[in-house]
Amino acid sequence: MENSPQLPGRTERPVPASPAKSSRILEGISAFVLVAGVIYAVVTYVGLPQIVPVHFGPNGEPDDWGDKNQFLLAPIMLCMVTLFCLVIARFPRIHNVPKTPSTAEGWQALYTCSRNMLLWTSIGVGLMLVFVTYSTSHPEISGPWMALLVLFILAPIVYYIPKMLKIAK
């Protein structure tokens, strides 16, 4: 696409600066949640009974059971989501942003917000999938944890989208 025509009124996005310290810290936390979640799943898998809970009702109680191999779906999804978010966060120039800033500084601020939103969302999804793994191996655990984790996933989106819109004004 190097020779693709420039659309009228569109400017080339500047190259992102190195990730801010906040983004690097969030990358580390996201990677830690990934590694800890996978290690926990591998260690736990061996001791699981052949039949495990695979779905939980709104009250947190198991309401469906299945083969223990289904237990591996959460850590597999954890790997996929986390790695996807880490890669996309490293290349903020390739994903959509809500508005186009008019200055290079605006773009850099937008890149930082975009990275941080992705990384916080990755951490939230990672924690949710680790909780699903934990709940499957400890079905007696119930409570509002899943709802709180869903809020944790949505919070960065609710926080960063208006911030990005303000930067692009």
Side-chain angles (χ1 to χ4, degrees):
M1 294 182 114
E2 194 173 314
N3 295 329
S4 62
Q6 188 69 18
L7 295 173
R10 299 289 301 251
T11 58
E12 184 66 28
R13 292 180 176 193
V15 175
S18 296
K21 185 177 181 180
S22 62
S23 297
R24 290 192 307 270
I25 290 169
L26 292 174
E27 285 174 350
I29 294 170
S30 186
F32 174 78
V33 170
L34 169 65
V35 171
V38 170
I39 288 172
Y40 176 78
V42 169
V43 168
T44 304
Y45 180 79
V46 240
L48 287 176
Q50 196 57 39
I51 303 296
V52 295
V54 293
H55 190 270
F56 298 84
N59 62 353
E61 298 294 320
D63 61 6
D64 194 14
W65 300 78
D67 185 69
K68 85 176 194 176
N69 289 331
Q70 289 180 322
F71 174 81
L72 298 174
L73 289 176
I76 289 169
M77 288 173 34
L78 172 63
C79 289
M80 291 171 42
V81 169
T82 303
L83 294 175
F84 176 77
C85 286
L86 286 171
V87 168
I88 294 298
R90 276 293 177 167
F91 302 101
R93 195 172 174 195
I94 64 172
H95 56 87
N96 284 333
V97 292
K99 279 192 162 188
T100 305
S102 56
T103 65
E105 294 81 19
W107 274 108
Q108 297 307 326
L110 194 65
Y111 290 152
T112 298
C113 280
S114 178
R115 281 181 177 129
N116 289 350
M117 181 180 70
L118 272 167
L119 294 168
W120 274 114
T121 303
S122 171
I123 292 167
V125 170
L127 290 173
M128 184 180 74
L129 290 169
V130 169
F131 178 74
V132 166
T133 303
Y134 183 79
S135 298
T136 300
S137 61
H138 296 86
E140 69 279 1
I141 303 298
S142 62
W145 303 112
M146 187 60 79
L148 291 173
L149 288 167
V150 169
L151 290 175
F152 188 89
I153 293 168
L154 295 175
I157 298 165
V158 170
Y159 175 76
Y160 281 108
I161 294 291
K163 192 172 181 176
M164 287 191 275
L165 290 170
K166 188 176 179 180
I167 289 170
K169 281 187 176 181

